């Protein structure tokens, strides 16, 4: 699974305590083995091995949040996006 910069994940209730009770985290860097992220609501930042992020995704402790641009239907062109 590709982990792109700017990808935002929602943090489940089960592991929020491990992430300063933040609601989300956003990937800021990925060097192939380590992922750096910022926590939502200005609650900090951190890093973890990519294998651990994969583990959290498989256990549904993190779920990807779609970016707003992907929610726009394909029949809208760039001029209509505001």
């Amino acid at each position: 699974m590709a982990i792109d910069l700017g990808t935002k994940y929602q943090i489940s209730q089960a592991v929020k305590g491990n992430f300063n009770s933040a609601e989300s985290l956003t990937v800021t860097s990925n060097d192939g083995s380590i992922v750096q992220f910022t926590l939502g609501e200005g609650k900090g930042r951190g890093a973890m091995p990519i294998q651990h992020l994969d583990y959290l995704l498989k256990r549904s402790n993190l779920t990807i949040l779609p970016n707003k641009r992907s929610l726009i239907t394909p029949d809208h062109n760039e001029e209509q996006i505001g």
Side-chain angles (χ1 to χ4, degrees):
M1 175 181 160
I3 303 196
D4 299 321
L5 300 184
T7 303
K8 191 171 186 177
Y9 297 93
Q10 182 174 358
I11 302 169
S12 74
Q13 290 292 335
V15 295
K16 276 189 184 178
N18 299 333
F19 293 96
N20 292 338
S21 299
E23 297 285 329
S24 64
L25 68 81
T26 304
V27 175
T28 58
S29 174
N30 176 1
D31 73 359
S33 61
I34 301 291
V35 174
Q36 293 181 336
F37 57 88
T38 58
L39 297 172
E41 303 88 43
K43 293 193 174 185
R45 60 181 181 226
M48 69 177 87
I50 209 158
Q51 294 89 353
H52 189 63
L53 181 64
D54 286 337
Y55 171 77
L56 292 172
L57 290 167
K58 286 178 186 172
R59 291 189 43 123
S60 299
N61 290 326
L62 294 177
T63 53
I64 194 164
L65 291 171
N67 76 27
K68 293 177 183 175
R69 185 168 294 278
S70 70
L71 297 175
I72 299 171
T73 57
D75 60 333
H76 288 88
N77 63 28
E78 289 291 321
E79 294 172 9
Q80 293 173 322
I81 298 173

